[in-house]
Amino acid sequence: MKLHEYQAKGLLSQFGVPVPPGRVAATPQEAEEAARALATETVVVKAQIHAGGRGKGGGVKVVRGPAAAREAAQAILGMNLVTHQTGPGGRRVKRVLVEAGCAVERELYAGVVLDRARERPVLMASAQGGMDIEVVAARDPAAILKEWFDPGLGLHPFQARRLAYALGLAGEAATRAADLFVRLSGAFRVLDATLVEVNPMVVTLAGEVLALDAKLGLDDSALWRHQDLAKMRDLDEEEPTERRASDGGLSYVKLDGDIGCLVNGAGLAMATMDIIQHHGGTPANFLDVGGGATEAQVTEAFTIILEDPHVKAILVNIFGGILQCDVLAQGVVEAARKVSLGVPLVVRLEGTNVEQGRRILQESGLALQAATDMADAARKAVAASRGERKGRARRP
Amino acid sequence: MSILVGKDTRVLVQGTGRAGTFHAERCIEYGTRVVAGVAPGKGGGTWLGKPLFDTVTAAVEATGAEATMIFVPAPGAADAVLEAAEAGLRLIVCITEGVPAQDMARAKPQVTARGARLIGPNCPGVITPGAAKLGIMPGYIHKPGRVGVVSRSGTLTYEAVWQLSSRGIGQSTCIGIGGDPIVGTSHLDALRLFQEDPDTDAVVLIGEIGGSAEEEAAAFVKASMTKPVAAFVAGGTAPPGKRMGHAGAIIAGGKGTAAEKKEALRAAGIAVAESPAEIGETMARLLKGA
């Protein structure tokens, strides 16, 4: 789960990470009031969306005084902000963060992630603050300093100091930076984060070390023990169909193609997309109905697939294990009756109770094409998506 | 013989709820020697005709169990894994999906320190066809034989196994290592086991996007593996930055793409199937050539 910058800063400051004074605002009026509460003349007004690159897209404005902050908020709130991370559709801005400006001496980078290869968290730091860490990693991997730490113990202070000195910091600034690193590692552990990123982390002319921007990603699997954090989820930032799918216990990702896929299991669902492309078609989505899909879930899955106007054919690929073929077949029949398909349907069933499943489909009278294996299914679905019909519908 | 489990392996089941009970029954039908269930608070009772114990240690003392299958819900799964490791079980198969990543980061070193082997979490388990299964895979699609299978997926593994069995190619052991960012046994670990197993002649490896497990496996194959390996990597069409069902299946920061992985596998001399429908055929060709 992703959080907004203002939420991330609020949480990090609870862990003692210094952030600029500021407040979130949903209206120009609130933004003006927030600016008035600040001690500085310079005010930064930042669009709050779940995407980076906001500055380049016009979502961040540095202004002087509360009246100017109001104007900036007026311009940003409600705008459709397009950045390299939002996709061409952009995101509607509902809130701005109004913060005190500061005089920056140095911009650095700090981030904590789980290093999958080493199977432990790592704190990464770089002197090249303000740049995407992926860009730094690609251009100059040696510029990224790393300290791995025990997930139970957190980053040791000596590791944090080692990073600070290696970044070229000295004196009080080094001490403050090291302290910030330790606090980031603590937040990562306690919040069950997948990502804590401070970019840039700045040293101000006044000698302060601040998290000027902050990004926080949380482990969805751990939200059961963070009910307070779960409430911070911003549903408006999620693709509506993906949100509906997840509410229905389905795993769905929208893609650009025209063949809808309904599959059990994530690996098989990806492989189904791959084989569609292998045979010259394009998948419209990833959809995993899961191990114990019910008839209601299958119906919901069809509804979601059919809501995509680009879908010209649907490929159902089921390898029955826990999810038995007859249960799935019954679900397909019921769903097809309820939602009126309107596009060709290709079904490939294999695995537990496959004979019963095939019989249910055959006796349903549904106009579907049965496929004998994955390749056959993909070929038929691709042909169907082009308005061709390869051969006659075989007996399921 | 085979790796990890055989028909004499004495097996516990931790988590005797609906899923645990359903799958334990299927395992017993398949021939797995399930000796007891562990359900805190229900010790002294019986379940599927087997004794129930409050703790894993008590179950091990009474039954001599060597392995366990865990169906405990996600909030308690890492704890169940640790309990099994401390009780001295040598094989721990954790089926549970949705275990917090940091729980596994904390638990895995403890499991390793005790010399136990963990499979999963978020996996279909392990099966030695014709002998025993510790997992949720449909038993009948498998066929005893001499090809090892290792995969991060569930149903895609069944698909691959089905393609092998349909061609008359039997399997020595099939391991679903799980789709999470941190799993007990990696592709590399499994390849090492198959390489050392005298009853395995060749291996099918099924990977997917995210992480670098396939690259590490490729390096091992190049350096130390003498047995032929066929592979498929799922997710060539997956967009970057999106989690594809499995917690670990995500292209992060441009890394972990299927193309990179296929390239690494090919460079190690592995036969990579371009289509998931050609996994069985790719292995069949390797076996003919061998």
Side-chain angles (χ1 to χ4, degrees):
Chain A
M1 185 180 109
K2 287 182 183 171
L3 294 177
H4 286 294
E5 177 193 5
Y6 76 91
Q7 295 168 321
K9 282 178 167 168
L11 287 167
L12 290 180
S13 65
Q14 288 173 21
F15 286 84
V17 174
V19 300
R23 212 157 76 191
V24 70
T27 64
Q29 179 63 31
E30 283 176 22
E32 184 177 345
E33 285 159 16
R36 194 163 287 128
L38 297 173
T40 56
E41 178 69 13
T42 309
V43 176
V44 187
V45 181
K46 305 175 83 175
Q48 298 295 291
I49 58 167
H50 286 183
R54 293 167 296 169
K56 280 183 196 140
V60 178
K61 293 192 191 296
V62 182
V63 297
R64 299 182 71 80
R70 181 193 182 102
E71 274 174 40
Q74 182 91 51
I76 294 172
L77 285 166
M79 81 183 281
N80 201 46
L81 186 52
V82 180
T83 82
H84 68 290
Q85 287 182 1
T86 59
R91 293 276 170 77
R92 178 88 37 208
V93 181
K94 294 183 304 173
R95 292 181 205 86
V96 290
L97 176 60
V98 181
E99 273 188 350
C102 62
V104 174
E105 188 193 342
R106 275 193 75 183
E107 290 196 345
L108 306 164
Y109 170 94
V112 188
V113 293
L114 190 62
D115 181 336
R116 293 172 60 165
R118 297 212 187 189
E119 301 182 329
R120 43 182 24 213
V122 59
L123 192 141
M124 300 181 289
S126 160
Q128 301 182 25
M131 284 174 63
D132 275 355
I133 195 70
E134 289 86 10
V135 175
V136 179
R139 272 193 217 156
D140 186 9
I144 301 173
L145 310 170
K146 294 179 179 177
E147 292 282 351
W148 287 267
F149 59 92
D150 185 300
L153 299 175
L155 188 75
H156 295 299
F158 81 87
Q159 295 179 291
R161 290 195 297 274
R162 187 155 66 194
L163 283 172
Y165 293 128
L167 289 170
L169 297 171
E172 194 62 16
T175 306
R176 286 177 175 160
D179 183 63
L180 189 149
F181 292 149
V182 171
R183 291 175 189 279
L184 288 185
S185 87
F188 181 83
R189 292 190 305 128
V190 175
L191 299 174
D192 271 299
T194 53
L195 168 74
V196 177
E197 189 174 66
V198 174
N199 187 25
M201 156 183 163
V202 299
V203 183
T204 66
L205 287 175
E208 290 172 298
V209 175
L210 290 177
L212 204 60
D213 196 356
K215 202 182 272 183
L216 202 47
L218 303 175
D219 184 352
D220 294 330
S221 295
L223 285 176
W224 53 268
R225 60 184 165 213
H226 300 287
Q227 295 301 319
D228 50 333
L229 302 180
K231 287 187 196 127
M232 294 183 170
R233 180 174 170 193
D234 184 350
L235 296 173
D236 291 344
E237 288 284 335
E238 297 172 27
E239 222 274 326
T241 29
E242 289 178 14
R243 191 175 82 209
R244 243 183 68 198
S246 80
D247 290 346
L250 306 166
S251 186
Y252 171 90
V253 177
K254 193 177 167 347
L255 303 170
D256 297 331
D258 57 16
I259 299 177
C261 307
L262 191 161
V263 189
N264 66 327
L268 191 62
M270 279 188 273
T272 303
M273 289 154 43
D274 294 347
I275 200 168
I276 286 170
Q277 190 179 61
H278 185 75
H279 289 281
T282 52
N285 64 276
F286 166 93
L287 194 154
D288 172 12
V289 289
T294 61
E295 189 190 299
Q297 278 176 308
V298 175
T299 306
E300 180 72 354
F302 271 113
T303 310
I304 286 169
I305 291 171
L306 286 166
E307 265 173 26
D308 179 350
H310 300 114
V311 168
K312 296 203 186 101
I314 296 177
L315 169 50
V316 174
N317 184 20
I318 298 296
F319 205 110
I322 316 173
L323 173 59
Q324 296 167 357
C325 289
D326 52 336
V327 175
L328 184 280
Q330 200 58 51
V332 169
V333 172
E334 293 302 323
R337 282 190 188 133
K338 276 182 204 152
V339 300
S340 100
L341 289 176
V343 295
L345 175 66
V346 178
V347 181
R348 182 275 178 132
L349 291 183
E350 199 56 75
T352 309
N353 294 353
V354 64
E355 290 309 328
Q356 292 98 306
R358 287 178 182 163
R359 198 175 318 123
I360 290 168
L361 291 179
Q362 192 202 347
E363 288 168 3
S364 71
L366 272 183
L368 57 85
Q369 300 185 61
T372 51
D373 57 33
M374 272 181 85
D376 184 40
R379 275 191 290 264
K380 283 177 173 152
V382 172
S385 73
R386 291 173 180 159
E388 306 158 10
R389 179 149 175 150
K390 271 216 171 134
R392 287 175 39 229
R394 218 170 299 184
R395 193 177 157 274
Chain B
M1 269 303 292
S2 59
I3 61 171
L4 300 172
V5 289
K7 64 178 169 44
D8 297 322
T9 309
R10 277 166 291 187
V11 181
L12 295 182
V13 177
Q14 287 168 264
T16 54
R18 202 174 56 84
T21 303
F22 175 83
H23 291 294
E25 280 183 307
R26 303 286 91 73
C27 289
I28 293 167
E29 281 165 18
Y30 195 74
T32 309
R33 194 170 165 197
V34 173
V35 292
V38 176
K42 294 183 184 159
T46 56
W47 164 81
L48 302 178
K50 319 282 177 193
L52 278 174
F53 296 89
D54 286 322
T55 68
V56 178
T57 303
V60 170
E61 277 168 5
T63 64
E66 310 134 86
T68 182
M69 205 172 9
I70 295 175
F71 291 94
V72 173
D79 184 56
V81 167
L82 289 170
E83 185 183 1
E86 195 188 281
L89 293 171
R90 66 167 179 81
L91 177 67
I92 302 166
V93 178
C94 184
I95 306 296
T96 310
E97 181 180 356
V99 181
Q102 291 195 43
D103 281 10
M104 285 316 299
R106 283 187 289 267
K108 190 175 170 186
Q110 311 280 330
V111 173
T112 310
R114 293 187 182 273
R117 170 160 302 285
L118 171 65
I119 309 277
N122 189 15
C123 77
V126 47
I127 181 169
T128 294
K133 69 165 191 157
L134 273 71
I136 60 175
M137 64 289 280
Y140 77 92
I141 61 171
H142 299 80
K143 176 182 159 72
R146 300 185 60 85
V147 170
V149 177
V150 55
S151 167
R152 281 166 69 184
S153 162
T155 46
L156 180 56
T157 316
Y158 312 162
E159 170 71 35
V161 166
W162 180 247
Q163 288 179 26
L164 292 173
S165 295
S166 307
R167 283 171 174 76
I169 303 170
Q171 305 94 41
S172 54
T173 298
C174 305
I175 313 171
I177 58 175
D180 278 359
I182 296 182
V183 290
T185 296
S186 65
H187 274 315
L188 165 58
D189 298 330
L191 286 181
R192 202 172 265 146
L193 293 173
F194 282 128
Q195 170 67 20
E196 287 163 8
D197 175 33
D199 297 309
T200 298
D201 294 338
V203 181
V204 171
L205 180 148
I206 296 168
E208 64 189 34
I209 55 164
S212 56
E214 291 76 11
E215 285 85 341
E216 287 148 28
F220 172 76
V221 168
K222 197 168 187 177
S224 324
M225 191 117 182
T226 55
K227 299 175 182 179
V229 180
F232 175 74
V233 180
T237 46
K242 285 275 190 183
R243 207 185 82 156
M244 305 303 277
H246 289 155
I250 180 163
I251 299 168
K255 304 298 282 180
T257 64
E260 279 176 323
K261 290 171 185 294
K262 287 182 194 169
E263 181 54 40
L265 293 167
R266 277 202 194 94
I270 295 169
V272 179
E274 267 308 322
S275 157
E278 289 161 11
I279 300 169
E281 194 49 45
T282 305
M283 178 47 75
R285 275 201 302 271
L286 278 185
L287 292 175
K288 267 180 213 148

